[in-house]
């Protein structure tokens, strides 16, 4: 299909044009983590996507005006040609290229090859689910922490430390590790630290012992942020934790969902409108056997429906209508709601935490207004 015609179809449906494609290049992984939402492992049922197909997809997404590629898996470094794919994305003119990896398979040879790319748009996102081996290895298996740290040090020694983002999945057993993780990142001269709450799907939904943190844990984290200046200083320099960022949100959301800015293609050829919104009834399948423009055109009516639902969520939920965070949260992430409850109109699965933070913000604001009325602050500015 003509790429311009496909982009026109997306525009007609008022879907945002795709910008960054998360491309799963293999379903296999050297680990078999307890919380893996794609069920990857050493003997994954989906193996590496043929390199020829991946080269074609990279070219086609660029023609569709895509600017960014995130290579993921499974473990992308398990793909025999991952380095060639990164080189190809660079040669095609992508402005950002990201590797989402467990960090264990970096060798001196492939670190040198990444350095030679000399590409400022490269990010290496390494999963680290704790600042110590017992916490990280509890979900990732013995030796995983040591292996990840070896990879991180290799990258740092190769001059790529600032390209690394450490990514922690927030769980009940590790949320308290966030300050220590920031310290570790600082010591290792890493670029940044980001976290995201566990989604109850994939292996994390199958009676796994891992669980999302409790509301009380998040309240303690917020309290620590307010009362611990060294933690706050490190966080402001390196960190990005949703629960801490929600406190700063003030402007109303103009778009409830970013469809279709960040689509996601699985190693078995299913195309989803977003990496967090992977419900099969809203996927285009068989994409490895068709051109990407046709796949986007085929998905447009499905994602149009989903987008319309995303815009109704805050109105559909009685809790949202009463909530002080309604304008900035608007029902939260629809992908997470779908993954955890199967219902696109349900509230975000972190609703209790969000509500507590928004109510706290509102009480701080009203206390401030009581002590410093608006006229007073305006007069003194
Ligand atoms: S979470 Fe990541 S490292 Fe762990 S099994 Fe899944 S793909 Fe592999
Ligand atoms: S915090 Fe919960 S109730 Fe409030 S707007 Fe978000 S999803 Fe709705």
């Amino acid at each position: 299909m003509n790429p311009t015609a496909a982009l026109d179809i997306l525009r007609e449906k008022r879907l945002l044009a795709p910008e960054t494609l998360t491309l799963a290049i293999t379903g296999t992984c050297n680990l078999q983590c307890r919380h893996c939402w794609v069920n990857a492992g050493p003997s994954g049922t989906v193996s590496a996507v043929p390199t020829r197909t991946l080269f074609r997809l990279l070219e086609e997404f660029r023609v569709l005006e895509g600017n960014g590629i995130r290579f993921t898996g499974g473990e992308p470094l398990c793909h025999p040609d991952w380095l060639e794919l990164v080189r190809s994305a660079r040669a095609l003119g992508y402005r950002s290229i990201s590797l989402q990896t467990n960090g264990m398979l970096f060798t001196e040879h492939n670190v040198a090859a990444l350095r030679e790319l000399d590409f400022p748009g490269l990010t290496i996102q390494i999963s680290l689910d704790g600042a110590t081996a017992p916490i990280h290895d509890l979900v990732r298996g013995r030796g995983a922490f040591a292996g990840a740290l070896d990879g991180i040090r290799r990258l740092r020694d190769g001059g790529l430390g600032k390209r690394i983002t450490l990514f922690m999945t927030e769980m009940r057993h590790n949320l308290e590790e966030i300050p220590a993780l920031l310290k570790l990142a600082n010591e290792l001269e890493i670029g940044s630290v980001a976290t995201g709450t566990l989604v109850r799907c994939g292996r994390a939904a199958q009676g796994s012992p891992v669980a999302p943190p409790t509301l009380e844990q998040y309240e303690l984290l917020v309290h620590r942020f307010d009362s611990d200046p060294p933690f706050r200083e490190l966080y402001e320099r390196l960190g990005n934790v949703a629960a801490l960022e929600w406190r700063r949100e003030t402007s109303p959301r103009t778009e409830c969902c970013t469809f279709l800015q960040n689509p996601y293609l699985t190693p078995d050829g299913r195309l989803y409108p977003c990496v967090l919104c992977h419900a099969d009834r809203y996927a285009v399948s068989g994409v490895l056997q068709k051109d990407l423009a046709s796949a986007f055109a085929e998905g447009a009516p499905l994602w149009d429906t989903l987008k319309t639902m995303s815009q109704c969520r805050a109105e559909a939920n009685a809790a949202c209508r009463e909530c002080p965070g309604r304008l900035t949260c608007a029902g939260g992430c629809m992908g997470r709601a779908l993954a955890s409850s199967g219902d696109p109109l349900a509230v975000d699965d972190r609703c209790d935490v969000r509500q507590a933070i928004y109510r706290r913000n509102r009480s701080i604001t009203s206390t401030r207004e009581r002590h410093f009325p608006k006229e007073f602050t305006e007069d003194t500015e």
Side-chain angles (χ1 to χ4, degrees):
M1 180 176 199
N2 180 329
T4 312
L7 289 174
D8 284 345
I9 291 172
L10 299 180
R11 260 179 231 119
E12 275 162 29
K13 299 281 185 197
R14 293 168 293 108
L15 292 160
L16 299 172
E19 277 182 10
T20 299
L21 176 66
T22 298
L23 183 58
I25 60 178
T26 178
T28 58
C29 185
N30 52 319
L31 294 180
Q32 194 157 14
C33 305
R34 290 171 167 200
H35 62 341
C36 182
W37 65 278
V38 293
N39 279 317
S43 54
T45 46
V46 188
S47 53
V49 180
T51 307
R52 206 177 48 247
T53 306
L54 290 167
F55 282 146
R56 172 177 66 74
L57 291 167
L58 288 176
E59 282 176 24
E60 289 177 357
F61 191 62
R62 193 76 187 101
V63 175
L64 283 161
E65 302 172 18
N67 283 320
I69 284 288
R70 287 192 198 112
F71 291 109
T72 189
E75 166 55 47
L77 272 66
C78 284
H79 193 291
D81 294 318
W82 71 269
L83 204 43
E84 279 313 307
L85 292 161
V86 174
R87 288 193 182 112
S88 165
R90 168 89 162 111
L92 285 164
Y94 281 100
R95 283 212 290 267
S96 68
I97 301 170
S98 171
L99 275 170
Q100 297 184 322
T101 166
N102 60 39
M104 297 179 70
L105 301 177
F106 286 109
T107 61
E108 281 181 19
H109 167 74
N110 57 38
V111 168
L114 284 178
R115 194 182 49 230
E116 273 163 29
L117 277 180
D118 189 23
F119 181 44
L122 177 70
T123 308
I124 304 157
Q125 181 186 305
I126 299 182
S127 303
L128 210 62
D129 287 334
T132 55
I135 299 289
H136 178 85
D137 291 357
L138 189 73
V139 286
R140 292 184 176 266
R142 188 180 292 187
F145 184 78
L149 273 207
D150 280 352
I152 291 166
R153 290 200 178 101
R154 248 175 228 132
L155 288 160
R156 183 212 41 203
D157 295 346
L160 295 170
K162 295 293 179 203
R163 303 240 163 276
I164 299 176
T165 296
L166 296 183
F167 185 86
M168 186 185 105
T169 301
E170 298 163 10
M171 289 169 280
R172 203 159 294 178
H173 75 283
N174 73 358
L175 195 77
E176 284 76 18
E177 292 270 296
I178 289 178
L181 195 61
L182 285 163
K183 259 185 162 171
L184 180 66
N186 192 42
E187 282 159 20
L188 291 168
E189 299 164 38
I190 299 296
S192 58
V193 176
T195 69
T197 321
L198 177 80
V199 187
R200 279 273 194 206
C201 66
R203 216 173 276 139
Q206 299 161 3
S208 158
V210 296
T214 62
L215 172 59
E216 290 68 31
Q217 285 180 289
Y218 280 112
E219 285 177 334
L220 282 173
L221 178 69
V222 169
H223 175 71
R224 174 132 188 208
F225 180 84
D226 289 339
S227 59
D228 182 344
F231 167 43
R232 210 162 50 237
E233 187 276 321
L234 270 182
Y235 178 82
E236 298 295 4
R237 206 151 39 80
L238 299 173
N240 190 328
V241 174
L244 297 176
E245 295 302 313
W246 290 333
R247 309 170 82 203
R248 307 182 206 249
E249 286 175 356
T250 50
S251 44
R253 296 174 70 170
T254 49
E255 281 294 338
C256 296
C257 259
T258 56
F259 299 153
L260 182 68
Q261 272 178 321
N262 300 297
Y264 166 49
L265 182 57
T266 66
D268 58 356
R270 279 168 295 144
L271 181 65
Y272 297 104
C274 162
V275 72
L276 275 168
C277 198
H278 36 92
D280 283 343
R281 60 187 187 275
Y282 298 108
V284 176
S285 54
V287 175
L288 304 183
Q289 288 78 40
K290 56 182 91 161
D291 67 274
L292 211 44
S294 303
F296 279 113
E298 190 181 328
L302 290 174
W303 304 327
D304 184 33
T305 311
L306 211 47
K307 187 179 168 81
T308 306
M309 278 195 278
S310 87
Q311 289 166 339
C312 301
R313 296 173 67 244
E315 276 308 312
N317 283 294
C320 297
R321 291 198 293 272
E322 303 293 316
C323 177
R326 182 177 173 278
L327 289 179
T328 49
C329 172
C333 173
M334 182 166 64
R336 294 187 64 103
L338 257 168
S340 52
S341 72
D343 178 5
L345 291 175
V347 291
D348 187 315
D349 60 331
R350 303 158 300 176
C351 174
D352 59 338
V353 181
R354 295 183 86 134
Q355 278 203 48
I357 287 172
Y358 297 135
R359 288 191 200 290
R360 188 186 157 106
N361 279 0
R362 186 164 70 174
S363 87
I364 290 170
T365 308
S366 52
T367 307
R368 211 178 278 141
E369 278 167 3
R370 263 202 315 281
H371 291 293
F372 302 103
K374 199 161 182 278
E375 311 78 69
F376 176 80
T377 45
E378 275 171 0
D379 284 351
T380 54
E381 266 170 8

